[in-house]
Amino acid sequence: MAQLYFRYSTMNAGKSTEILKIAHNYEEQNKHAMLFTPALDDRFGRGKITSRMGFQRDAIIINQETDMMGLAAAAKPDCVLVDEGQFLTRAQVIELTRIVDTLNVPVIVYGLKNDYRNHLFAGSEALLLFADKVEEVKAVCWYCTKKATMLLKYKDGQPVGEGPQIEIGGNDKYVSVCRKCYGGRLQIK
């Protein structure tokens, strides 16, 4: 029986690498993995899933008009993989549940749970509500050896806790930290 999985973490936990690995494993067995990525994430080019290790692969771009259910019904994949799930809308997450429930295709979504202000992303909130299984991908704090659970955003070399929720970036803007290191550098509100 197919299920919707939400695998979340902070940045630098290897989420994109995991997607690429799963796709490879399916294809090595002559199975079809369908990959999606939101249009919003263009750090490495639109329609690309790229790991920090340098592995990259094309993916179907998700925007407001993308009919993921129709694409999946036509392609008949053995698995659907989605990167950067935090950027999905609630309606898109519900569409992913339809792929699972109607087509009986497992869907695995990777993404961030919370932003640098410690608020849930809309896509993450919907995934936490609708996923059959929620799993944490572990990451290590940038400053100590504890488990990273939060993102710390830097601007002009200083930690910031205010601003727009979404500003695409990597290690140049964000680091993954534990709660203690987050609180030690920024007032938790």
Side-chain angles (χ1 to χ4, degrees):
M1 181 169 158
Q3 294 186 323
L4 173 62
Y5 298 85
F6 177 39
R7 296 181 179 161
Y8 71 89
S9 185
T10 59
M11 294 176 72
N12 282 325
K15 296 179 299 296
S16 297
T17 302
E18 282 291 316
I19 285 179
L20 298 173
K21 181 177 87 172
I22 292 168
H24 172 77
N25 289 345
Y26 267 85
E27 290 163 358
E28 195 170 50
Q29 299 171 23
N30 294 318
K31 295 175 183 167
H32 175 54
M34 183 173 235
L35 285 75
F36 288 102
T37 188
L40 189 58
D41 185 15
D42 60 359
R43 282 177 295 161
F44 304 106
R46 288 177 48 107
K48 303 281 184 196
I49 296 177
T50 305
S51 78
R52 286 182 168 81
M53 294 171 53
F55 303 113
Q56 184 178 76
R57 186 157 178 169
D58 290 334
I60 299 166
I61 298 171
I62 303 170
N63 57 38
Q64 297 300 322
E65 294 80 39
T66 306
D67 178 7
M68 292 183 287
M69 177 69 173
L71 291 169
K76 298 181 178 21
D78 294 292
C79 179
V80 171
L81 303 168
V82 183
D83 199 16
E84 304 295 349
Q86 71 272 10
F87 297 140
L88 298 174
T89 65
R90 182 182 177 95
Q92 289 167 330
V93 170
I94 292 170
E95 189 174 3
L96 293 173
T97 68
R98 289 180 46 231
I99 292 170
V100 171
D101 297 340
T102 305
L103 302 177
N104 198 34
V105 173
V107 175
I108 307 171
V109 182
Y110 284 83
L112 301 174
K113 182 181 66 161
N114 45 294
D115 65 21
Y116 72 97
R117 303 169 306 166
N118 271 328
H119 297 165
L120 291 174
F121 285 96
S124 303
E125 179 182 25
L127 286 159
L128 288 168
L129 292 170
F130 289 103
D132 297 297
K133 294 214 172 152
V134 176
E135 301 167 346
E136 182 181 20
V137 179
K138 305 283 192 286
V140 177
C141 178
W142 191 265
Y143 299 107
C144 72
T145 58
K146 291 182 182 174
K147 180 175 79 169
T149 58
M150 301 179 178
L151 290 174
L152 192 57
K153 180 179 177 180
Y154 281 90
K155 186 171 185 172
D156 300 323
Q158 297 299 315
V160 295
E162 304 281 329
Q165 182 180 46
I166 298 172
E167 188 177 340
I168 303 299
N171 292 344
D172 58 323
K173 287 188 179 128
Y174 301 97
V175 294
S176 298
V177 295
C178 68
R179 184 183 62 238
K180 181 178 179 183
C181 290
Y182 182 91
R185 286 168 174 73
L186 196 66
Q187 292 264 238
I188 297 177
K189 296 179 183 182

